[in-house]
Amino acid sequence: MMRFLLLFNRQGRLRLQKWFIPLSNREKNKIVSEMTLTVLARPPKACSFLQWRDLKIVYRRYASLFFCCGLEDQDNELLTLELLQRYVELLDQYFGNVCELDIIFNFDKAYFILDEFIMGGEIQETSRLCLARHMEEADAFQETVDEYEKNPTY
Amino acid sequence: MPAPIRLRELIRTIRTARTQAEEREMIQKECAAIRSSFREEDNTYRCRNVAKLLYMHMLGYPAHFGQLECLKLIASQKFTDKRIENGNNDTDLIIEMCRDLAGEVEKLLKTSNSYLRKKAALCAVHVIRKVPELMEMFLPATKNLLSEKNHGVLHTSVVLLTEMCERSPDMLTHFRKLVPQLVRILKNLIMSGYSPEHDVSGISDPFLQVRILRLLRILGKSDDDSSEAMNDILAQVATNTETSKNVGNAILYETVLTIMDIKSESGLRVLAINILGRFLLNNDKNIRYVALTSLLKTVQTDHNAVQRHRSTIVDCLKDLDVSIKRRAMELSFALVNGNNIRGMMKELLYFLDSCDPEFKADCASGVFLAAEKRWVLQNPTINAGSYVRDDSVPNLIQLITNSVEMHAYTVQRLYKALLDDISQQPLVQVASWCIGEYGDLLVSGQCEEEEPIQVTEDEVLDVLEGLLVSNLSAPVTRGYSLTAIMKLSTRFSSVNRIKKVVSIYGSSIDVELQQRAVEYNALFKKYDHMRPALLERMPIMEKTATNGPTEIVQTNGETESSALDSKHPPSITQPTNQANDLLDLLGGNDVPVIQTALPTKPASAGGELLDLLGDLSLSGGPTPAPAPSVPISQTPFLLDGLSSQPLFNDTAAGIPPMTAYNKNGLKIEFTFERSNPNPNISVITIHASNSTEADMTDFVFQAAVPKTFQLQLLSPSSNIVPALNQGSVTQVIRVLNPQKQQLRMRIKLTYTLKGAPVQDLAEVNNFPPQSWQ
């Protein structure tokens, strides 16, 4: 299972953090800073995997963002690369040509998509269609509610 | 108050801040606005405010006051609010609610709504992780999980099954019956046509495929039937998967791991190793890394197959990537064996010289371990010595001691290294120990492997004294060199100089040095007769599991030997006869208890025992092992022998005595006793009596037993067997008989009768059954 997923840019600014295990804030911050330091220090053509404490770290750079996750011993690293690819594709599908700004301004949507794709460190939905449908339904529901609220009689 | 700004605005504003201080100012302003907004209890903007708080929290600013608001949001009916809220959920909550929710989750597992089912399955996984006892609760719901059509539910179900099987062996056996079903699902995935929603580069739902493969691995492990059921599908996946893209390789990787773990047939295993071999040659770094990792896992079980790829692995040592280099190094050490050691060592030593500092310690230690296993001391390992961890020093010393033919060469190389550089502590320690031991070889220029250098005794002593005074030397190192100097007093002729050095350090500030010097001084003054014996060459050591001193040494409480111990921790094996001589020294004489950790005299008695065993030819038995290999497990005997005096009584516990030998007037009788603490040990007391008219002097009794036994001979009561049965010589033999085999013994007797030496060999086969059963 995945223990955490972090998104940060080349300057080390954290854009998204998802934790699948309970940790104190201090521990989280420590992990974040260590991860950013280690990953950013790697040369560009280096291997995407490294060993850190007892976890396997898989990272990949997409444009200006680094996607970095921590896996347990039994997990398949190559498949995790595919997982990251899938997540980026989902974001792309939703936002249309996703870039870092989209994630900055719509971090809640980014989290929502992540939560629909991965739950508790494991993938819960492997079908692109299903995920897209879930997002549409959620958006539609929100619009309905917003409109309902805007109505003067509410 | 004006409407709070939207999140977007806030983000935009914050991004315009050019300095940290500016940013902090904006945040504080906004926080104040939010706080007042909360106070007004205006629900309309609560979600907007909380969203902003979330953002600020993500940036690292404290936003605790928003937590109460969050709680209110949870309670809120608004869906929008709930969406924001999901982002803040702590998994901590799961722990507390586990037990309460488990029932709910279990129900949800059975609903027809696939959206809920898949989430319920993952919830169940986490419930089980936190509270494994609840696993039983989910068992009935798992019955129909695999007949799902929805891939999402299928995936999460496989995850749930995997978790259950990993946690409980009962579940594992229970779910083995699912193997055919899983195989079928996997087959459908592979054979099915293109499906856009699940497709990744031409492969249908790789995530599910990999999870199924992983579950199959767990189910097939150590179970022949299941393994057989999956053989075909594994072969199919292994041969048919497209390897041009990462996806295919991910599936192949998982397949290889599964094949190696289950009881697959050899053809399949070879296929798997070959796939890994292909991975090793792949351009993609990630794939090479993964291949090295997998090979490391399989090298124990399929050593030969991995050996075939040795050259590629060694090439990976030269890779630029740090992760790959580390894996290649670990794998290379695992592959070293008697055949390839020379070539491998060359590569590894080259690697050691050229690699990054973070690798050096591990690499050097690995080199020593590898060298140890093969008893080959490669020359440049001395260079590696500077990099080793401190705990390898005793190992290296042991290694050097045991490679007897290399002593001269080793000491010469180390001496030269010392001349160059005395800052590397482990190296200096090893070097000074060697010089202390083999200084005579150094000075006499006996080196064969290399051009012997001309070194005088004084030069050597200069170097060692230099170490003592140097600022670079650690206290431990100084101890090493002082003892080395002392040892040279028996090997060199310039004893006066050594005496002077030792006496100087008798008033050293360093307590350890002072103690040693004082003791060595005493050795010179009062116990000079013991000095040669004490400082003799170390014998070949046998490696113990721990590096601590053996019990032989511990029985001697003397500080002298304990000072020696701290530097010579490896164990010492010796024929037990010698150990008995030691005991003799302890018990019989008035000599003060300056015991040595080393054998006091070369094994003259032991040597004969060696001969005795050498011509002991037992019918059908294998050739007996030579004496030095008598394992250290003998020492418990030693301790027992020391402490429990009652062992020396003759009355047997109901076992009749027997006459073992009766010839030429010499009669040897055996009496038996069982040793209480250990029923496998028989204690035999021999009584030698002499019926001739003259005394038998220099009487020595020796015994040897077949390989399955172990023998310990304690010291005899006397060497003279009085004439005309006026007395007898007694001696205790302890025999360990773990396999309860029939006891047989061959004895050798030597004595002098009327000035003529007599020697006789005899076999004793008439032991009463009770003595060995």
Side-chain angles (χ1 to χ4, degrees):
Chain A
M1 112 178 188
M2 198 184 294
R3 295 256 180 115
F4 55 82
L5 174 65
L6 306 173
L7 263 70
F8 48 86
N9 68 4
R10 283 214 58 85
Q11 281 73 46
R13 299 278 286 218
L14 194 63
R15 296 298 174 206
L16 195 145
Q17 52 176 321
K18 187 74 189 175
W19 303 90
F20 300 107
I21 39 161
L23 286 175
S24 69
N25 271 337
R26 225 180 109 227
E27 288 167 349
K28 285 185 193 169
N29 289 337
K30 193 152 167 281
I31 293 181
V32 167
S33 54
E34 272 190 53
M35 282 295 106
T36 40
L37 272 175
T38 321
V39 169
L40 290 176
R42 305 264 292 181
K45 292 287 174 96
C47 184
S48 289
F49 313 130
L50 52 110
Q51 191 75 23
W52 180 79
R53 296 198 198 161
D54 61 328
L55 298 179
K56 302 196 240 201
I57 306 293
V58 177
Y59 72 93
R60 187 166 244 178
R61 180 163 169 210
Y62 287 92
S64 58
L65 279 179
F66 281 94
F67 287 64
C68 169
C69 47
L71 307 175
E72 287 176 350
D73 188 53
Q74 287 295 314
D75 295 320
N76 187 327
E77 299 99 309
L78 295 176
L79 195 73
T80 311
L81 285 175
E82 290 302 315
L83 184 152
L84 293 175
Q85 177 72 19
R86 173 62 70 90
Y87 181 49
V88 172
E89 283 175 14
L90 291 168
L91 290 171
D92 193 69
Q93 197 179 17
Y94 184 76
F95 288 110
N97 275 338
V98 67
C99 61
E100 190 181 343
L101 278 177
D102 290 317
I103 301 188
I104 295 171
F105 280 103
N106 302 293
F107 62 91
D108 51 333
K109 302 276 171 60
Y111 274 113
F112 191 78
I113 295 175
L114 184 60
D115 287 339
E116 286 297 315
F117 179 40
I118 300 177
M119 189 173 107
E122 301 281 0
I123 298 180
Q124 58 174 318
E125 185 56 69
T126 55
S127 159
R128 288 194 188 86
L129 280 180
C130 281
L131 276 165
R133 220 180 307 138
H134 293 324
M135 292 304 298
E136 277 171 26
E137 284 170 5
D139 285 343
F141 189 48
Q142 172 156 16
E143 279 172 22
T144 321
V145 172
D146 283 345
E147 276 207 29
Y148 192 55
E149 284 176 359
K150 284 209 193 91
N151 200 310
T153 57
Y154 176 67
Chain B
M1 86 160 262
I5 62 171
R6 300 175 68 91
L7 175 59
R8 232 164 240 277
E9 290 298 325
L10 173 67
I11 297 180
R12 229 174 261 136
T13 332
I14 291 183
R15 279 167 67 79
T16 61
R18 252 168 270 134
T19 68
Q20 187 78 327
E22 250 186 81
E23 189 182 295
R24 231 176 298 142
E25 232 183 85
M26 295 178 192
I27 299 268
Q28 275 176 352
K29 224 170 69 180
E30 191 50 44
C31 272
I34 294 177
R35 264 193 286 254
S36 31
S37 170
F38 281 155
R39 248 176 280 130
E40 286 175 17
E41 300 275 326
D42 186 351
N43 295 348
T44 357
Y45 297 116
R46 186 176 295 147
C47 77
R48 188 185 290 180
N49 286 331
V50 175
K52 284 186 284 187
L53 274 176
L54 269 177
Y55 180 69
M56 290 192 278
H57 180 64
M58 220 171 59
L59 287 180
Y61 296 100
H64 310 297
F65 60 93
Q67 276 177 3
L68 184 57
E69 301 304 314
C70 287
L71 280 174
K72 289 190 195 155
L73 273 180
I74 297 177
S76 154
Q77 297 299 323
K78 285 198 207 159
F79 178 74
T80 340
D81 301 346
K82 277 218 162 54
R83 265 179 104 172
I84 302 283
E85 188 38 46
N86 268 333
N88 214 15
N89 245 338
D90 254 344
T91 11
D92 284 343
L93 295 175
I94 295 183
I95 309 169
E96 286 141 33
M97 304 192 296
C98 257
R99 289 189 190 271
D100 303 331
L101 290 180
E104 288 295 314
V105 171
E106 201 258 331
K107 253 196 297 186
L108 286 174
L109 260 180
K110 298 184 188 147
T111 73
S112 47
N113 185 336
S114 52
Y115 184 78
L116 290 175
R117 269 185 104 177
K118 71 184 188 201
K119 290 195 191 268
L122 285 183
C123 278
V125 167
H126 280 268
V127 168
I128 292 175
R129 270 185 189 228
K130 291 283 182 280
V131 193
E133 296 88 51
L134 292 173
M135 221 188 301
E136 309 275 314
M137 199 189 247
F138 298 112
L139 193 49
T142 60
K143 255 201 266 278
N144 297 323
L145 277 181
L146 286 185
S147 35
E148 261 292 328
K149 289 281 183 289
N150 181 305
H151 279 226
V153 183
L154 209 44
H155 189 280
T156 55
S157 312
V158 172
V159 173
L160 176 58
L161 290 170
T162 312
E163 189 67 32
M164 292 171 107
C165 291
E166 272 174 359
R167 301 257 157 185
S168 152
D170 294 328
M171 291 290 175
L172 183 58
T173 15
H174 177 254
F175 284 126
R176 279 221 172 94
K177 61 178 194 262
L178 292 176
V179 171
Q181 215 176 349
L182 287 165
V183 170
R184 222 179 319 132
I185 298 173
L186 191 53
K187 203 171 209 151
N188 285 335
L189 280 174
I190 302 174
M191 308 296 242
S192 71
Y194 176 74
S195 126
E197 61 178 301
H198 298 294
D199 179 84
V200 180
S201 308
I203 298 188
S204 188
D205 208 343
F207 303 108
L208 183 57
Q209 286 192 32
V210 165
R211 276 328 288 236
I212 293 182
L213 285 166
R214 194 164 138 185
L215 181 55
L216 285 175
R217 174 156 87 237
I218 296 174
L219 292 175
K221 201 170 193 163
S222 41
D223 185 68
D224 291 320
D225 294 325
S226 315
S227 304
E228 221 189 287
M230 23 177 126
N231 256 328
D232 288 338
I233 192 72
L234 288 173
Q236 200 180 349
V237 175
T239 41
N240 289 343
T241 314
E242 227 355 277
T243 56
S244 53
K245 291 283 181 72
N246 185 52
V247 207
N249 289 323
I251 295 185
L252 272 182
Y253 175 42
E254 197 72 31
T255 315
V256 164
L257 287 177
T258 305
I259 293 176
M260 300 313 292
D261 253 2
I262 65 171
K263 297 202 154 194
S264 46
E265 50 181 25
S266 60
L268 205 52
R269 289 186 100 88
V270 170
L271 182 60
I273 301 270
N274 288 343
I275 292 177
L276 287 179
R278 270 205 323 266
F279 273 8
L280 272 180
L281 300 166
N282 197 305
N283 285 330
D284 190 342
K285 280 209 179 60
N286 298 330
I287 300 199
R288 288 210 296 275
Y289 179 86
V290 151
L292 287 170
T293 313
S294 321
L295 283 172
L296 199 55
K297 284 191 206 151
T298 65
V299 76
Q300 304 300 331
T301 44
D302 289 85
H303 195 95
N304 293 328
V306 181
Q307 280 285 358
R308 250 176 270 141
H309 301 282
R310 191 168 50 85
S311 48
T312 328
I313 294 169
V314 169
D315 282 337
C316 286
L317 280 174
K318 305 190 184 94
D319 199 298
L320 295 165
D321 189 286
V322 170
S323 315
I324 290 186
K325 272 204 278 226
R326 180 163 282 279
R327 285 277 183 254
M329 179 182 85
E330 289 167 6
L331 195 50
S332 305
F333 282 125
L335 285 179
V336 167
N337 67 17
N339 295 331
N340 58 31
I341 178 143
R342 289 211 177 261
M344 290 292 270
M345 273 297 143
K346 214 167 61 180
E347 293 284 343
L348 286 166
L349 289 163
Y350 179 72
F351 176 68
L352 179 63
D353 275 331
S354 54
C355 69
D356 302 323
E358 59 202 36
F359 286 115
K360 283 210 201 285
D362 292 326
C363 187
S365 305
V367 163
F368 287 137
L369 281 171
E372 243 175 37
K373 281 191 234 163
R374 305 298 151 189
W375 296 65
V376 168
L377 185 64
Q378 295 281 338
N379 319 337
T381 50
I382 294 167
N383 292 338
S386 52
Y387 299 120
V388 293
R389 305 190 293 256
D390 287 331
D391 58 350
S392 308
V393 170
N395 288 340
L396 182 56
I397 288 179
Q398 189 193 15
L399 194 58
I400 293 173
T401 320
N402 288 341
S403 47
V404 179
E405 43 318 324
M406 308 275 301
H407 283 167
Y409 174 73
T410 311
V411 67
Q412 185 164 303
R413 283 298 303 259
L414 284 171
Y415 178 75
K416 282 203 266 192
L418 265 192
L419 287 176
D420 284 329
D421 173 23
I422 58 170
S423 61
Q424 309 285 357
Q425 294 308 296
L427 180 62
V428 170
Q429 286 166 11
V430 173
S432 45
W433 188 91
C434 281
I435 293 176
E437 275 293 302
Y438 310 120
D440 48 336
L441 296 176
L442 182 62
V443 174
S444 63
Q446 278 180 21
C447 181
E448 288 157 3
E449 314 254 335
E450 213 181 55
E451 190 60 41
I453 56 176
Q454 304 298 334
V455 186
T456 64
E457 292 182 0
D458 279 322
E459 284 172 344
V460 174
L461 287 172
D462 283 336
V463 169
L464 286 176
E465 281 187 52
L467 288 176
L468 272 175
V469 301
S470 163
N471 286 341
L472 296 168
S473 300
V476 176
T477 314
R478 279 187 240 261
Y480 268 90
S481 70
L482 187 60
T483 307
I485 291 178
M486 188 58 193
K487 280 197 220 170
L488 290 175
S489 72
T490 51
R491 295 159 174 66
F492 281 4
S493 51
S494 43
V495 182
N496 286 328
R497 179 173 174 182
I498 294 176
K499 271 198 206 170
K500 231 180 9 189
V501 172
V502 167
S503 63
I504 290 174
Y505 278 88
S507 41
S508 159
I509 292 182
D510 183 338
V511 179
E512 173 73 24
L513 278 184
Q514 189 188 95
Q515 181 175 1
R516 286 179 193 219
V518 165
E519 285 165 7
Y520 295 153
N521 250 336
L523 207 55
F524 272 122
K525 297 212 173 73
K526 289 207 278 175
Y527 304 111
D528 207 31
H529 56 284
M530 298 208 72
R531 194 162 47 84
L534 222 68
L535 300 173
E536 224 198 35
R537 245 262 225 273
M538 290 281 266
I540 305 226
M541 306 175 200
E542 199 173 278
K543 188 130 174 43
T544 43
T546 63
N547 257 334
T550 65
E551 282 149 327
I552 295 178
V553 174
Q554 276 167 353
T555 52
N556 314 326
E558 246 285 322
T559 45
E560 164 73 357
S561 42
S562 62
L564 280 174
D565 286 347
S566 61
K567 291 190 279 67
H568 307 302
S571 68
I572 298 146
T573 46
Q574 23 182 317
T576 45
N577 270 2
Q578 290 190 321
N580 299 327
D581 294 333
L582 230 62
L583 271 183
D584 205 12
L585 205 63
L586 245 187
N589 312 357
D590 287 343
V591 176
V593 193
I594 292 190
Q595 283 292 356
T596 161
L598 320 168
T600 52
K601 42 187 180 294
S604 51
E608 288 170 355
L609 191 67
L610 266 176
D611 291 337
L612 191 64
L613 286 176
D615 40 25
L616 189 72
S617 56
L618 306 161
S619 49
T623 52
S629 71
V630 167
I632 208 67
S633 57
Q634 291 275 36
T635 44
F637 289 29
L638 207 66
L639 284 179
D640 289 351
L642 254 186
S643 53
S644 48
Q645 285 303 319
L647 226 51
F648 286 82
N649 72 41
D650 300 353
T651 52
I655 307 175
M658 60 175 261
T659 306
Y661 176 87
N662 195 348
K663 226 159 67 167
N664 298 332
L666 177 63
K667 178 167 145 191
I668 304 209
E669 240 185 30
F670 284 5
T671 51
F672 300 93
E673 195 192 63
R674 276 267 179 237
S675 167
N676 276 334
N678 188 341
N680 289 335
I681 299 177
S682 319
V683 181
I684 306 171
T685 311
I686 69 151
H687 305 263
S689 51
N690 174 5
S691 57
T692 66
E693 304 147 345
D695 293 340
M696 293 173 179
T697 54
D698 300 317
F699 175 79
V700 176
F701 172 88
Q702 287 168 303
V705 286
K707 200 172 176 196
T708 50
F709 300 88
Q710 285 170 17
L711 181 77
Q712 182 189 25
L713 211 51
L714 303 186
S715 44
S717 60
S718 154
N719 286 66
I720 303 179
V721 192
L724 300 169
N725 295 326
Q726 283 165 17
S728 64
V729 169
T730 54
Q731 193 165 7
V732 175
I733 311 171
R734 289 166 58 128
V735 180
L736 176 66
N737 185 3
Q739 294 179 23
K740 301 279 189 201
Q741 289 193 358
Q742 181 180 18
L743 184 54
R744 290 183 298 176
M745 201 185 278
R746 185 177 279 205
I747 58 177
K748 180 171 174 181
L749 306 152
T750 47
Y751 55 93
T752 306
L753 182 63
K754 295 186 207 161
V758 182
Q759 196 178 337
D760 199 1
L761 280 165
E763 251 197 304
V764 186
N765 288 330
N766 52 332
F767 286 93
Q770 301 102 304
S771 65
W772 46 268
Q773 266 165 1

